Amino acid sequence: MTINDIAARTGFAASTVSRALSRPGRVNRVTRERIQAAARELNYVPNVPARALSSGRTATVAVLVSDVTNPFYFGLIRGAQHELRAAGYAQMLVDTEDSPELETRLLSTVRQSVDGVILAASRLPGRAIIGITAELPVVTVNRNAPGVRSVVIDSPDGVMQAVEHLISLGHRQVVYVAGPSCSWANEARWRAMRTAMAKHGLAATRIGPFGASRRSGSAAADALLNTGATACIAFNDLIAIGILRRLGERGVDVPGEISVVGCDDIFGADFCSPPLTTLAAPVEQAGRVAVSMLLEQNLAVRASRRNVILPTHLTVRQSSGRAPRR
Amino acid sequence: MTINDIAARTGFAASTVSRALSRPGRVNRVTRERIQAAARELNYVPNVPARALSSGRTATVAVLVSDVTNPFYFGLIRGAQHELRAAGYAQMLVDTEDSPELETRLLSTVRQSVDGVILAASRLPGRAIIGITAELPVVTVNRNAPGVRSVVIDSPDGVMQAVEHLISLGHRQVVYVAGPSCSWANEARWRAMRTAMAKHGLAATRIGPFGASRRSGSAAADALLNTGATACIAFNDLIAIGILRRLGERGVDVPGEISVVGCDDIFGADFCSPPLTTLAAPVEQAGRVAVSMLLEQNLAVRASRRNVILPTHLTVRQSSGRAPRR
DNA sequence: ATGAAAGCGCTAACAT
DNA sequence: ATGTTAGCGCTTTCAT
C-alpha cells in the first residue's frame, strides 16, 4: 500500500497523489477527492520513515524526562501526548536516568529521528542545552537557559508562599531539603526560599543534596531532625513523602513537632498521612504548552511566548501546622 | 554527517562503510577499525528513518497503554524503556485513552514506524489483536488472545490468596468491585474470585463496572456500602484508594467495619491510610519480559516462552482485618 | 572482502 | 494543476 498503488489506481502521477494527501490545497478539488477516496478504500497509511527521509520532517517529538517512574512527569507526559496527538505527532519517550552523560548520548541519537525535543528537568549544563538548540527545536520545562524557549512552573513564587505560611504559623527555623544538585529548579527554589526568609530577617538553612526519590526522603528525615528545625520545605513531594514516612516510623509527630511542605502536588500527596501541604503545579498544562511552543516554533510563527511562566499556589493540607513551643 | 562522508574520508565504498557499522563481522578487521575510528571522529550518528526505509527496521517499539497517568504503567514503561535501550531501540509511547476505536486508529498509523508493539491492557476484542499480529510482532501484557504472545501477571492466583485471607478473617460476604468492562484482566479476576469463594461454599457478588480511576472508587464506595458486605476486592489500587478515601469521608472504619483489598501495589498503596492490602505485581519485570519476548520474536528464535505468567502475592497491610460481629 | 548499483516510499524542484 | 525526475541516507543484491 504505497502512494504508487494509489497513483496506478487513479491514473494520476505519484507526485499528485502525494500532494493531494499532504497538501490538499494544491490540487484540483475533484482530483483531491478521487485520490482521497482511493486512499481510504485501499486503507492507505503514509510511511512515516519514508516521508521523513525525503522531507526531513518525522512528525515525532522526543520527550526527555529524568526518571519515568517519578509521578511528577505523568501529567507532563499526558499533556504533551494530547497536544502532540492533536497535531498529528507521535511521542518518543526517553528516560535519561538523571544522568547528564546519558542525556547527551540519547539526545544525539534521537536528533535525526525527531522534529523537536522537550527537555523536562534537564540535567545538562546551560551551554549544552544552547548547543542542542542549534541542531533542533527545543523547549525546556522547569529549566531556563539563555535564548532557549521554556515553560517553567513558578515554584519560586510558591516557595515564597510556603515560607510566609510557615512563618505565620510561628516557625523560625525552616530548612530546605535540597534535590539533585544539577537540577535547575532545585537552585531556583533554594534561592527563593533564602530570599523569602531574609525578608523576615531569618536565615534559611539547607540540607542535601538528595536524590528525587522517596528513599532519599528517609535519609533526609534523619538529617532534618539533627538540625533541630521546626519545619522544612522539600525539593519535591517524593522527598517530602519519604520524610513523612520516616518521621512516622521514628514516632515524630507531624505537624505537632515538625511541619513538612512539599512541592508539585503529585499523585499521592493528598492521601499520604498526614496529607501533604504542597505547591500545586499545573503539570499537564505545562506539557501542553511546551508542545504548542515547540510546534509553532517549527512553523516559525509568533516570536512571542519565548518563556512562559505558569503559576503555582500553596495547597495547605495537614502536614503543616503551628510551630511547637520550645 | 552521512555514510558517504565516512566513505570519502576513508576511501572505502559507502556499502563497505555500511557493513562495517551495522554488521562488523562481515568486513576485514583493519577495515572495520579504520571505518569505526573515522565514524567516531566525525561524530557520525546513523539516520534512523533512512535505515528504516531501506531495511524495514525502525529500531523503535510502540508501547500502548490505556492511560499514561495510571501509576500502574509507571513501572511497566520503565521496564520496557530499560530493556529497549539495552537493545538499541527507542520507545514510542502511545496513550489509547481507554478507547478501542482510538487504539485501532493509532495502531494503524504507527504500524509502519515501529518494529513491534507492546499492548498493555488492550481494550481491543481478541480477534482484533490477532489481526494485528499478522502485520506486526505483538506482545500483550495482562491480556490473552489465542496465538498471541503475552506476559500476564497472575492476579487470578493473587485474587485467590486474597479471598483466602479475607475468609480466614471471618468475612462471608465479599464483593468484587469491577473495573472497565472491556478489560480482560477484569474478567479474569472476577472469575478467579467466584471460583475461590465457591470453594468455600460462598457466593461472590459484584458491583460495577467502574472506570479505573480514583474518582470511580468514590462512587464504588457508596455502592459497596449498599451491599452490606464486610469486605471487597477492587479491580485495582486506583479504585481501592478511591474507596478508602470515600469511606474515610463517610466515617466508615477500615478495616473495622469493612476490609478493602486492592490489586497491583501501585505507588501510593503503601502510604495511603490505612495502607492498602493488595496484590504485589512485578510490573517492571513484566515490561522487561514483554520487550525481550518481542525482540526475540523479531529474530525468530526460541519458539518457547509464548505465554509468560508472572507470579503475584498478597501483601497484607492495614486495610484488611477481622470481619465485624453482626 | 570490497565495490557498484539499485531501490526502499516519499517529497520537492523543475517542467509542462 | 499535473507530470517528470531526482534524490533523501541507507541497505542489499550482485559482481568482482
Side-chain angles (χ1 to χ4, degrees):
Chain A
M1 241 328 71
T2 77
I3 225 173
N4 298 300
D5 298 319
I6 300 181
R9 175 80 110 85
T10 57
F12 290 102
S15 53
T16 304
V17 175
S18 170
R19 277 188 287 257
L21 263 21
S22 32
R23 243 120 41 157
R26 302 187 31 158
V27 298
N28 189 336
R29 210 198 75 210
V30 321
T31 305
R32 183 200 327 146
E33 283 170 1
R34 280 247 293 284
I35 292 178
Q36 290 179 338
R40 223 172 304 116
E41 270 177 56
L42 298 175
N43 239 309
Y44 168 78
V45 178
N47 182 315
V48 178
R51 178 176 281 180
L53 187 55
S54 61
S55 72
R57 280 169 286 108
T58 59
T60 303
V61 163
V63 175
L64 272 71
V65 301
S66 62
D67 170 13
V68 253
T69 57
N70 183 338
F72 172 75
Y73 293 117
F74 278 76
L76 191 93
I77 291 171
R78 147 164 288 191
Q81 175 98 196
H82 261 85
E83 199 74 12
L84 285 170
R85 172 112 82 238
Y89 281 70
Q91 180 184 48
M92 204 137 119
L93 181 63
V94 181
D95 185 340
T96 63
E97 299 176 15
D98 250 319
S99 149
E101 294 76 28
L102 190 56
E103 188 170 348
T104 308
R105 226 196 48 197
L106 292 170
L107 223 29
S108 85
T109 71
V110 298
R111 210 182 53 198
Q112 325 233 33
S113 334
V114 300
D115 293 343
V117 175
I118 292 184
L119 250 34
S122 174
R123 301 307 190 219
L124 253 29
R127 45 173 41 199
I129 295 184
I130 295 167
I132 297 152
T133 310
E135 317 193 326
L136 209 57
V138 170
V139 172
T140 58
V141 175
N142 270 4
R143 169 65 186 250
N144 261 345
V148 181
R149 297 181 186 226
S150 65
V151 16
V152 345
I153 293 172
D154 195 9
S155 311
D157 178 68
V159 168
M160 301 228 186
Q161 295 177 36
V163 168
E164 296 296 331
H165 168 69
L166 291 172
I167 288 181
S168 80
L169 288 169
H171 296 276
R172 290 295 169 264
Q173 203 186 336
V174 183
V175 353
Y176 179 67
V177 183
S181 51
C182 41
S183 159
W184 181 86
N186 182 52
E187 290 311 313
R189 286 169 200 176
W190 165 234
R191 234 176 298 122
M193 172 153 166
R194 267 196 326 218
T195 310
M197 292 290 284
K199 226 187 268 176
H200 291 268
L202 264 23
T205 52
R206 158 179 178 149
I207 57 175
F210 294 99
S213 72
R214 278 167 67 192
R215 264 187 328 114
S216 309
S218 298
D222 292 342
L224 176 60
L225 288 174
N226 290 339
T227 65
T230 62
C232 74
I233 297 177
F235 166 66
N236 72 7
D237 284 353
L238 237 30
I239 295 179
I241 289 173
I243 290 176
L244 250 30
R245 206 80 208 298
R246 176 75 180 136
L247 255 24
E249 279 171 23
R250 293 193 50 174
V252 178
D253 181 44
V254 176
E257 298 176 60
I258 201 164
S259 287
V260 176
V261 175
C263 193
D264 295 341
D265 198 17
I266 62 170
F267 175 88
D270 59 333
F271 65 72
C272 55
S273 72
L276 190 65
T277 292
T278 187
L279 302 175
V283 200
E284 194 161 331
Q285 189 189 354
R288 286 201 309 271
V289 172
V291 167
S292 79
M293 287 171 71
L294 189 71
L295 299 184
E296 73 186 19
Q297 181 171 8
N298 273 351
L299 302 172
V301 240
R302 272 212 262 179
S304 65
R305 287 226 303 171
R306 294 197 67 84
N307 300 283
V308 172
I309 296 184
L310 265 22
T312 20
H313 64 267
L314 184 68
T315 299
V316 178
R317 299 205 183 91
Q318 283 96 73
S319 69
S320 58
R322 296 210 66 79
R325 302 252 190 86
R326 283 280 159 90
Chain B
M1 241 326 73
T2 77
I3 227 174
N4 297 300
D5 298 319
I6 301 180
R9 174 79 110 85
T10 57
F12 289 102
S15 51
T16 304
V17 175
S18 169
R19 276 188 287 256
L21 263 20
S22 32
R23 242 119 40 156
R26 304 189 27 160
V27 298
N28 189 339
R29 211 198 75 211
V30 321
T31 305
R32 182 199 328 145
E33 283 169 1
R34 279 247 295 284
I35 291 177
Q36 290 179 338
R40 223 172 303 116
E41 271 177 56
L42 297 175
N43 238 309
Y44 169 79
V45 178
N47 182 315
V48 178
R51 178 175 281 180
L53 187 55
S54 61
S55 71
R57 279 169 286 108
T58 59
T60 303
V61 164
V63 176
L64 272 70
V65 301
S66 61
D67 170 12
V68 251
T69 57
N70 183 337
F72 172 75
Y73 294 116
F74 295 12
L76 191 92
I77 291 171
R78 148 162 289 188
Q81 176 98 196
H82 260 85
E83 198 75 12
L84 285 170
R85 172 112 82 240
Y89 280 71
Q91 180 185 48
M92 203 136 118
L93 180 66
V94 181
D95 185 341
T96 64
E97 298 175 17
D98 250 320
S99 147
E101 294 74 29
L102 191 54
E103 188 171 348
T104 309
R105 226 195 49 197
L106 293 170
L107 223 30
S108 85
T109 71
V110 298
R111 211 183 54 200
Q112 325 234 30
S113 335
V114 300
D115 293 342
V117 175
I118 292 184
L119 251 33
S122 174
R123 300 305 190 222
L124 252 31
R127 44 172 42 198
I129 296 184
I130 296 168
I132 298 153
T133 311
E135 318 193 324
L136 210 56
V138 170
V139 172
T140 58
V141 175
N142 270 4
R143 169 66 186 249
N144 260 345
V148 181
R149 298 183 186 226
S150 66
V151 18
V152 342
I153 294 172
D154 195 9
S155 312
D157 178 69
V159 168
M160 301 228 185
Q161 295 178 37
V163 168
E164 296 297 332
H165 167 70
L166 291 172
I167 288 182
S168 80
L169 288 169
H171 295 276
R172 290 296 168 264
Q173 203 186 336
V174 183
V175 353
Y176 178 67
V177 183
S181 52
C182 41
S183 159
W184 182 85
N186 182 53
E187 290 312 313
R189 287 169 201 175
W190 165 235
R191 234 176 297 121
M193 171 151 168
R194 267 196 326 218
T195 310
M197 292 290 284
K199 225 188 267 174
H200 292 267
L202 263 21
T205 52
R206 158 180 180 148
I207 57 174
F210 294 99
S213 73
R214 277 167 67 194
R215 264 186 330 114
S216 308
S218 298
D222 292 341
L224 176 60
L225 289 174
N226 289 338
T227 65
T230 62
C232 74
I233 297 178
F235 166 65
N236 72 6
D237 284 354
L238 236 30
I239 294 178
I241 289 173
I243 291 177
L244 251 30
R245 207 77 210 299
R246 176 76 181 135
L247 255 24
E249 280 170 22
R250 293 192 50 173
V252 178
D253 181 44
V254 175
E257 298 176 61
I258 201 162
S259 287
V260 176
V261 175
C263 192
D264 296 341
D265 198 16
I266 62 169
F267 175 87
D270 59 333
F271 64 72
C272 55
S273 72
L276 190 64
T277 293
T278 187
L279 302 175
V283 199
E284 194 160 332
Q285 189 191 354
R288 286 202 310 272
V289 171
V291 167
S292 81
M293 285 171 71
L294 190 71
L295 299 184
E296 75 186 18
Q297 180 174 8
N298 273 350
L299 303 172
V301 239
R302 272 212 262 180
S304 64
R305 288 223 305 169
R306 293 196 67 84
N307 300 285
V308 172
I309 295 183
L310 264 24
T312 19
H313 64 266
L314 185 69
T315 299
V316 178
R317 299 205 183 93
Q318 283 95 71
S319 69
S320 58
R322 295 210 67 77
R325 303 251 190 89
R326 284 281 160 91

